[in-house]
Amino acid sequence: APRSTPFSNSPKRKSSIIPNASLTKTEIETVEQLSNDIIDPNSTSEEGENENILSEQMMRRRIALSKAITLVESKSANRRLMGDILLDRLRQSTRNKVKPKDKK
């Protein structure tokens, strides 16, 4: 029998198994941008002083994280779907970065 999870019986949560289902192009781009800003906030930084770049990167990540939290907690089904897709992308990114090294 499948294991029960906190959201398994909740009618509010849509599954993000079908990526980008019913999202507009703009919403998909928003999820991609938030994902990039959380994972690699310096990907869109311009060159300048190191301290300014670091400060800008930290602020970009904080803003993206706050927007991600808002999406996940939203009452709108579409926004929650965006949040679920974003979380899936972040989980996948984390898995790719934390893969165990091969023992030789």
Side-chain angles (χ1 to χ4, degrees):
R3 285 178 29 192
S4 179
T5 64
F7 296 109
S8 62
N9 297 323
S10 173
K12 291 188 204 175
R13 303 292 292 183
K14 279 189 174 182
S15 172
S16 59
I17 294 173
I18 305 169
N20 309 332
S22 76
L23 294 182
T24 66
K25 182 179 178 183
T26 303
E27 290 170 331
I28 294 167
E29 289 171 353
T30 298
V31 169
E32 289 172 356
Q33 185 62 51
L34 289 173
S35 175
N36 290 338
D37 286 348
I38 292 169
I39 295 166
D40 187 16
N42 63 353
S43 62
T44 57
S45 292
E46 295 179 13
E47 290 190 32
E49 294 182 36
N50 288 342
E51 188 174 311
N52 289 339
I53 290 174
L54 183 58
S55 176
E56 179 184 330
Q57 291 169 353
M58 290 175 63
M59 186 55 66
R60 185 184 312 272
R61 179 173 276 160
R62 290 179 81 167
I63 291 168
L65 286 170
S66 67
K67 288 180 181 181
I69 292 167
T70 301
L71 288 175
V72 170
E73 293 180 344
S74 177
K75 291 182 180 181
S76 162
N78 234 26
R79 298 284 184 202
R80 282 194 320 270
L81 178 59
M82 290 171 66
D84 288 344
I85 292 170
L86 177 59
L87 289 174
D88 287 343
R89 287 179 183 215
L90 296 174
R91 276 188 218 109
Q92 184 63 36
S93 172
T94 302
R95 281 188 209 119
N96 291 341
K97 288 182 179 181
V98 185
K99 285 187 178 183
K101 295 188 179 192
D102 294 313
K103 294 181 180 180
K104 293 184 180 180

